Amino acid sequence: MTREPLPDTDPPTRTTDLRMAGEWLARHDLADTHPTPLLASRLAVRRRARLATYVILAALIIVSALAATSAFGGLPPHRPLPLLALAASVAGLLLAQSLLDRWVRRVDQRAGATLSRRAAHPIQPGWRTVLGRPYAIFAAATFAGAMVLAASVLAVPEPTVRQLAVVVLIGLLGATAITAMQLRHLLSFPVVAEDEESLTADVIMRVEDARELTTPNVQWSLPVVLFGTAPGWWNAAAVAYIVLSLAACVALHARTPSCATVARRAMSVQ
């Protein structure tokens, strides 16, 4: 990789980013690889983008909670205004995520333009490499479980509870759309590498980001809106869903190969 720094990076930030890049390499069994400004800048922008995504998801949860409070406020349960406001907010958050992904892609494109040469054997990892079948099944199962939980409350005759269920469903669909948008970005943006080490680091970054996306934080948070208002059987089912999915998440992270191992296997088949 070239050692030329990016023009919009100041020296103090560059020093911190290089140190953190070295720590990231060590965590992924690449301690012998020297951290370059290129890798440091790519990791730094991903840290900032990940933080911004957390803010977007937190905003989604907050907006959903505010929409849910309207069921207990002055508006009648059948009024569509809170639900329309929630849908508009979800659309705005999707736009924000799209702009965030475009920013990361632009940084990668600018970094790629500084490379002296491309990798000798460039690859474009597919979903089986980046996400993997176990993580894909886990993500689909947690989404389906949360949707079934929320949809099951629609059969309750109480209008307030049904409105809360619709709020949760809209929030879950919005969170899933944001995750799908991020996964599409991980699978589509071009590889930025000039040698085997930087190519391995690129694949590791993709796998690490994809696994982070499968953590069902929103799926665990939004059903809480219905606690205390839904029937007792639903509360028990929701607790069982959270406990079982949490146990599956821990087991998945413990039993699957590390990001570095997945990246080296992907490199070995090229």
Side-chain angles (χ1 to χ4, degrees), residues 55 57 75 80 89 113 129 139 145 158 165 196 200 240 247:
V55 173
L57 293 177
L75 291 176
S89 300
T129 298
E158 175 60 41
E196 184 175 349
T200 303

Side-chain angles (χ1 to χ4, degrees), residues 119-210:
H121 302 285
I123 61 174
Q124 188 67 38
W127 72 270
R128 284 185 174 84
T129 298
V130 174
L131 182 59
R133 191 181 300 274
Y135 281 91
I137 294 173
F138 174 73
T142 52
F143 165 72
M147 291 294 292
V148 168
L149 271 176
S152 65
V153 187
L154 294 176
V156 176
E158 175 60 41
T160 298
V161 177
R162 289 202 303 268
Q163 179 170 327
L164 291 176
V166 174
V167 167
V168 173
L169 286 171
I170 293 175
L172 289 173
L173 290 173
T176 303
I178 290 173
T179 300
M181 188 179 298
Q182 292 177 279
L183 285 174
R184 179 180 178 275
H185 171 73
L186 288 176
L187 294 171
S188 62
F189 76 80
V191 171
V192 180
E194 63 174 351
D195 53 30
E196 184 175 349
E197 291 177 346
S198 58
L199 185 58
T200 303
D202 186 286
V203 178
I204 290 175
M205 279 190 280
R206 294 171 191 260
V207 176
E208 189 176 49
D209 290 345

Side-chain angles (χ1 to χ4, degrees), residues 48-72:
R48 296 177 187 122
R50 185 176 296 177
L51 178 61
T53 297
Y54 290 154
V55 173
I56 289 175
L57 293 177
L60 175 62
I61 294 174
I62 292 172
V63 170
S64 300
L66 291 176
T69 59
S70 68
F72 305 100

Side-chain angles (χ1 to χ4, degrees), residues 19-267:
R19 176 180 56 80
M20 296 184 73
E23 295 172 353
W24 182 87
L25 289 169
R27 286 198 306 271
H28 293 88
D29 302 324
L30 295 172
D32 295 335
T33 302
H34 184 70
T36 63
L38 177 62
L39 176 63
S41 65
R42 294 190 68 203
L43 289 172
V45 75
R46 274 159 179 75
R47 286 194 301 271
R48 296 177 187 122
R50 185 176 296 177
L51 178 61
T53 297
Y54 290 154
V55 173
I56 289 175
L57 293 177
L60 175 62
I61 294 174
I62 292 172
V63 170
S64 300
L66 291 176
T69 59
S70 68
F72 305 100
L75 291 176
H78 64 274
R79 288 288 295 274
L81 183 59
L83 300 181
L84 292 176
L86 175 60
S89 300
V90 169
L93 294 174
L94 287 172
L95 176 60
Q97 184 61 53
S98 175
L99 294 175
L100 187 63
D101 291 340
R102 184 179 302 178
W103 172 55
V104 175
R105 183 186 295 270
R106 188 164 58 246
V107 171
D108 281 345
Q109 289 173 342
R110 191 167 66 245
T114 67
L115 294 179
S116 58
R117 61 187 178 86
R118 286 289 180 174
H121 302 285
I123 61 174
Q124 188 67 38
W127 72 270
R128 284 185 174 84
T129 298
V130 174
L131 182 59
R133 191 181 300 274
Y135 281 91
I137 294 173
F138 174 73
T142 52
F143 165 72
M147 291 294 292
V148 168
L149 271 176
S152 65
V153 187
L154 294 176
V156 176
E158 175 60 41
T160 298
V161 177
R162 289 202 303 268
Q163 179 170 327
L164 291 176
V166 174
V167 167
V168 173
L169 286 171
I170 293 175
L172 289 173
L173 290 173
T176 303
I178 290 173
T179 300
M181 188 179 298
Q182 292 177 279
L183 285 174
R184 179 180 178 275
H185 171 73
L186 288 176
L187 294 171
S188 62
F189 76 80
V191 171
V192 180
E194 63 174 351
D195 53 30
E196 184 175 349
E197 291 177 346
S198 58
L199 185 58
T200 303
D202 186 286
V203 178
I204 290 175
M205 279 190 280
R206 294 171 191 260
V207 176
E208 189 176 49
D209 290 345
R211 292 184 176 185
E212 179 73 19
L213 289 176
T214 61
T215 304
N217 296 309
V218 176
Q219 288 88 336
W220 289 336
S221 302
L222 277 181
V224 176
V225 170
L226 287 162
F227 275 110
T229 58
W233 62 264
W234 187 92
N235 293 330
V239 171
Y241 162 77
I242 294 174
V243 172
L244 290 175
S245 58
L246 179 59
C249 184
V250 172
L252 190 62
H253 283 275
R255 296 178 64 86
T256 52
S258 66
C259 299
T261 301
V262 172
R264 290 192 176 93
R265 288 177 181 174
M267 296 282 295

